[in-house]
Amino acid sequence: MLNQENLQKVDTLLKKYPEKKAALLPILWIAQEQEGWISQEMMKYVGDLVGVPYSHVMGVVTFYTMYNDKKLGKYHIEVCTNVSCLLRGSDKILSTVEKVCGTKLGSTSPDGKFTISEVECMGACGGAPMLAIGENYHEHLTPATTEQLLTSLK
Ligand code: FES
């Protein structure tokens, strides 16, 4: 299921850890980078690679918000709604995101472009309220700048 290039990365990683299972998180990250998400089949496959049961891998994937167990839209919009962002109006940012993307929190827009998720603090409280699109942070947002940002992706 992992391509040859990624299997080589896994080989390199496994040499760095005293036990295979300790490499579970970075291998899941490699799998997600390859596929865009982590399917049940991939969870079983990665579990076999590191010698842990599927249930353990699923527990890890569903615990950490950085892993996706569902296919995402082209743009994954992660809106922080934790304390600092909430106090600075993340509720208005989230409702703007839903309006502009044409879908609700936890869903993907009908055109497959946007998936909206709510996340805990992303360590950018100084720029609250903020959201991330993929690996890019967008901070000091207002409903107007949020609308502008998302409209530019349409
Ligand atoms: S509370 Fe939103 S980045 Fe910290």
Side-chain angles (χ1 to χ4, degrees):
M1 300 256 297
L2 286 177
N3 62 33
Q4 207 51 46
E5 184 187 346
N6 284 331
L7 279 172
Q8 283 176 348
K9 288 183 189 171
V10 167
D11 273 349
T12 306
L13 261 174
L14 288 175
K15 289 176 189 147
K16 293 182 181 174
Y17 292 91
E19 292 180 41
K20 281 183 171 184
K21 66 181 178 184
L24 177 59
L25 270 68
I27 294 174
L28 284 171
W29 189 252
I30 289 170
Q32 182 165 279
E33 282 186 325
Q34 177 183 300
E35 301 293 316
W37 68 298
I38 304 172
S39 65
Q40 291 185 353
E41 291 72 29
M42 184 62 89
M43 290 183 214
K44 289 174 193 157
Y45 174 80
V46 171
D48 290 343
L49 279 178
V50 298
V52 298
Y54 163 70
S55 57
H56 180 88
V57 181
M58 183 179 231
V60 169
V61 169
T62 54
F63 179 79
Y64 292 106
T65 57
M66 66 188 200
Y67 297 121
N68 307 307
D69 63 349
K70 294 179 189 67
K71 264 191 181 156
L72 301 176
K74 181 176 178 187
Y75 299 106
H76 186 201
I77 317 291
E78 295 178 288
V79 183
C80 176
T81 56
N82 214 299
V83 178
S84 298
C85 287
L86 183 63
L87 291 172
R88 306 265 310 155
S90 65
D91 54 334
K92 292 183 185 72
I93 302 305
L94 180 57
S95 60
T96 302
V97 170
E98 289 180 325
K99 182 186 81 179
V100 178
C101 293
T103 191
K104 291 287 178 194
L105 179 63
S107 304
T108 299
S109 58
D111 62 5
K113 268 206 164 165
F114 301 103
T115 300
I116 308 172
S117 301
E118 183 177 31
V119 290
E120 298 299 326
C121 180
M122 297 186 85
C125 308
M130 62 81 67
L131 59 76
I133 303 176
E135 293 181 4
N136 298 315
Y137 282 19
H138 301 272
E139 303 176 9
H140 304 289
L141 293 168
T142 65
T145 58
T146 303
E147 186 161 351
Q148 201 173 30
L149 170 69
L150 297 173
T151 303
S152 73
L153 300 175
K154 285 191 163 184

